[in-house]
Coordinates of all heavy atoms in Angstrom, one line a residue:
Chain B
R34 N -9.8 35.6 28.8 CA -9.7 34.1 28.6 C -8.7 33.9 27.5 O -8.8 34.5 26.5 CB -11.0 33.5 28.3 CG -11.0 32.0 28.0 CD -12.3 31.5 27.7 NE -13.3 31.6 28.8 CZ -14.4 32.4 28.8 NH1 -14.7 33.1 27.7 NH2 -15.2 32.5 29.8
P35 N -7.7 32.9 27.8 CA -6.8 32.6 26.7 C -7.5 32.0 25.5 O -8.6 31.5 25.6 CB -5.9 31.5 27.3 CG -6.2 31.6 28.8 CD -7.5 32.1 29.0
L36 N -6.9 32.2 24.3 CA -7.6 31.7 23.1 C -7.8 30.2 23.1 O -8.8 29.7 22.6 CB -6.8 32.2 21.9 CG -7.0 33.6 21.4 CD1 -5.9 34.0 20.4 CD2 -8.4 33.8 20.9
L37 N -6.8 29.5 23.6 CA -6.9 28.0 23.6 C -7.6 27.6 24.9 O -6.9 27.4 25.9 CB -5.5 27.4 23.5 CG -4.8 27.5 22.1 CD1 -3.5 26.8 22.2 CD2 -5.7 26.8 21.1
T38 N -8.9 27.5 24.9 CA -9.6 27.1 26.1 C -10.6 26.0 25.7 O -11.3 26.1 24.7 CB -10.4 28.3 26.7 OG1 -9.4 29.4 26.9 CG2 -11.0 28.0 28.0
V39 N -10.7 25.0 26.6 CA -11.6 24.0 26.4 C -12.8 24.2 27.5 O -12.5 24.4 28.6 CB -11.0 22.6 26.6 CG1 -12.1 21.5 26.6 CG2 -9.9 22.3 25.6
G40 N -14.0 24.1 27.0 CA -15.1 24.2 27.9 C -15.6 22.8 28.3 O -15.7 21.9 27.4
L41 N -15.8 22.6 29.6 CA -16.2 21.2 30.1 C -17.6 21.3 30.5 O -18.0 22.1 31.3 CB -15.3 20.9 31.3 CG -14.8 19.4 31.4 CD1 -14.1 19.0 30.2 CD2 -13.9 19.3 32.6
V42 N -18.5 20.4 30.0 CA -19.9 20.4 30.3 C -20.4 19.1 30.8 O -20.2 18.1 30.1 CB -20.7 20.7 29.0 CG1 -22.2 21.0 29.3 CG2 -20.2 21.9 28.3
A43 N -20.9 19.1 32.0 CA -21.5 17.8 32.5 C -22.9 17.7 31.8 O -23.6 18.6 31.7 CB -21.7 17.9 34.0
M44 N -23.2 16.4 31.4 CA -24.5 16.2 30.8 C -25.2 15.1 31.6 O -24.7 14.0 31.6 CB -24.3 15.7 29.4 CG -23.6 16.8 28.5 SD -23.5 16.3 26.8 CE -25.1 16.9 26.2
G45 N -26.2 15.5 32.3 CA -26.9 14.6 33.2 C -26.1 14.5 34.5 O -25.1 15.2 34.8
H46 N -26.4 13.5 35.4 CA -25.8 13.4 36.7 C -24.4 12.8 36.6 O -24.2 11.8 35.9 CB -26.7 12.4 37.6 CG -26.1 12.2 38.9 ND1 -26.1 13.2 39.9 CD2 -25.3 11.1 39.4 CE1 -25.4 12.7 41.0 NE2 -25.0 11.4 40.7
L47 N -23.5 13.5 37.3 CA -22.1 13.1 37.3 C -21.4 13.6 38.5 O -21.7 14.8 38.9 CB -21.4 13.6 36.1 CG -20.2 12.8 35.6 CD1 -20.6 11.5 34.9 CD2 -19.4 13.7 34.6
A48 N -20.6 12.9 39.2 CA -19.9 13.3 40.4 C -19.0 14.5 40.1 O -18.3 14.4 39.1 CB -19.1 12.2 41.0
E49 N -19.0 15.5 40.9 CA -18.3 16.7 40.6 C -16.8 16.5 40.5 O -16.0 17.0 39.7 CB -18.6 17.8 41.6 CG -18.0 19.1 41.2 CD -18.5 20.2 42.2 OE1 -19.7 20.2 42.4 OE2 -17.7 21.0 42.6
V50 N -16.3 15.6 41.4 CA -14.9 15.3 41.5 C -14.4 14.7 40.1 O -13.3 15.0 39.7 CB -14.5 14.4 42.7 CG1 -15.1 13.0 42.6 CG2 -13.0 14.3 42.9
A51 N -15.3 14.0 39.5 CA -14.9 13.4 38.2 C -14.6 14.5 37.2 O -13.7 14.4 36.4 CB -16.0 12.5 37.7
I52 N -15.5 15.5 37.2 CA -15.3 16.7 36.3 C -14.0 17.4 36.6 O -13.2 17.7 35.7 CB -16.4 17.7 36.5 CG1 -17.8 17.0 36.5 CG2 -16.3 18.8 35.5 CD1 -18.6 17.1 35.3
R53 N -13.7 17.5 37.9 CA -12.5 18.2 38.3 C -11.2 17.4 37.8 O -10.2 18.0 37.4 CB -12.4 18.4 39.8 CG -13.3 19.5 40.2 CD -13.4 19.6 41.7 NE -14.1 20.7 42.2 CZ -13.7 21.9 42.3 NH1 -12.4 22.1 42.0 NH2 -14.4 22.9 42.7
V54 N -11.3 16.1 38.0 CA -10.2 15.3 37.6 C -9.9 15.4 36.1 O -8.8 15.6 35.7 CB -10.4 13.8 38.0 CG1 -9.4 12.9 37.3 CG2 -10.4 13.6 39.5
V55 N -11.0 15.4 35.3 CA -10.8 15.5 33.9 C -10.2 16.9 33.5 O -9.3 17.0 32.7 CB -12.2 15.3 33.2 CG1 -12.1 15.7 31.7 CG2 -12.6 13.9 33.3
A56 N -10.8 17.9 34.2 CA -10.3 19.3 33.9 C -8.8 19.4 34.2 O -8.0 20.0 33.4 CB -11.1 20.3 34.7
A57 N -8.4 18.9 35.4 CA -7.0 19.0 35.8 C -6.1 18.2 34.8 O -5.0 18.7 34.4 CB -6.8 18.4 37.2
N58 N -6.6 17.1 34.4 CA -5.7 16.3 33.4 C -5.6 17.0 32.1 O -4.6 17.0 31.4 CB -6.3 14.9 33.3 CG -5.8 14.0 34.4 OD1 -4.6 13.5 34.3 ND2 -6.6 13.7 35.4
L59 N -6.7 17.5 31.6 CA -6.7 18.2 30.3 C -5.7 19.4 30.4 O -4.9 19.6 29.5 CB -8.1 18.8 29.9 CG -9.2 17.7 29.5 CD1 -10.5 18.5 29.2 CD2 -8.7 17.0 28.3
Q60 N -5.8 20.1 31.5 CA -5.0 21.3 31.7 C -3.5 20.9 31.7 O -2.6 21.5 31.1 CB -5.4 22.0 33.0 CG -4.4 23.0 33.6 CD -4.3 24.3 32.8 OE1 -5.4 24.8 32.3 NE2 -3.1 24.8 32.7
T61 N -3.2 19.9 32.5 CA -1.8 19.4 32.7 C -1.2 18.8 31.5 O -0.1 19.2 31.1 CB -1.7 18.4 33.8 OG1 -2.5 18.9 35.0 CG2 -0.3 18.1 34.3
I62 N -1.9 18.0 30.9 CA -1.3 17.2 29.7 C -1.4 18.0 28.4 O -0.4 18.0 27.6 CB -1.9 15.8 29.7 CG1 -1.5 15.0 30.9 CG2 -1.5 15.0 28.4 CD1 -2.1 13.7 31.1
L63 N -2.5 18.6 28.2 CA -2.6 19.4 26.9 C -1.9 20.8 27.1 O -1.6 21.4 26.1 CB -4.1 19.6 26.5 CG -4.8 18.3 26.1 CD1 -6.3 18.7 25.8 CD2 -4.2 17.6 24.9
G64 N -1.9 21.3 28.3 CA -1.3 22.6 28.6 C -2.1 23.7 28.1 O -1.7 24.8 27.7
I65 N -3.5 23.5 28.1 CA -4.4 24.6 27.7 C -5.4 24.8 28.8 O -5.6 23.9 29.7 CB -5.1 24.3 26.4 CG1 -5.8 23.0 26.4 CG2 -4.1 24.3 25.2 CD1 -6.6 22.6 25.1
H66 N -6.0 26.0 28.8 CA -7.0 26.3 29.9 C -8.3 25.6 29.7 O -8.7 25.2 28.6 CB -7.2 27.8 29.8 CG -6.1 28.7 30.4 ND1 -6.1 29.2 31.6 CD2 -4.9 28.9 29.8 CE1 -4.9 29.8 31.8 NE2 -4.2 29.7 30.7
V67 N -8.9 25.3 30.9 CA -10.1 24.6 30.9 C -11.1 25.3 31.7 O -10.8 25.8 32.8 CB -10.0 23.2 31.5 CG1 -11.3 22.4 31.5 CG2 -8.9 22.4 30.7
D68 N -12.3 25.6 31.2 CA -13.4 26.2 31.9 C -14.5 25.1 32.2 O -14.8 24.4 31.3 CB -14.1 27.3 31.1 CG -13.2 28.6 31.0 OD1 -12.2 28.6 31.8 OD2 -13.5 29.4 30.3
I69 N -15.0 25.1 33.5 CA -16.1 24.2 33.7 C -17.4 25.0 33.5 O -17.6 26.0 34.2 CB -16.0 23.6 35.1 CG1 -14.7 22.7 35.2 CG2 -17.2 22.7 35.4 CD1 -14.4 22.1 36.6
L70 N -18.2 24.5 32.6 CA -19.4 25.3 32.2 C -20.6 24.8 32.9 O -20.6 23.7 33.5 CB -19.5 25.3 30.7 CG -18.3 25.7 29.9 CD1 -18.6 25.5 28.4 CD2 -17.9 27.1 30.2
E71 N -21.7 25.5 32.8 CA -23.0 25.0 33.3 C -23.4 23.7 32.7 O -23.2 23.5 31.5 CB -24.0 26.1 33.1 CG -23.8 27.3 34.0 CD -25.1 28.0 34.3 OE1 -26.0 27.3 34.9 OE2 -25.3 29.1 33.9

Side-chain angles (χ1 to χ4, degrees):
Chain B
R34 180 180 296 116
L36 281 168
L37 287 180
T38 305
V39 174
L41 218 56
V42 187
M44 301 185 83
H46 175 76
L47 203 75
E49 190 170 315
V50 67
I52 313 255
R53 284 173 175 278
V54 167
V55 170
N58 275 284
L59 288 179
Q60 164 73 36
T61 311
I62 294 171
L63 294 179
I65 56 179
H66 286 257
V67 179
D68 284 350
I69 297 176
L70 309 177
E71 287 210 58

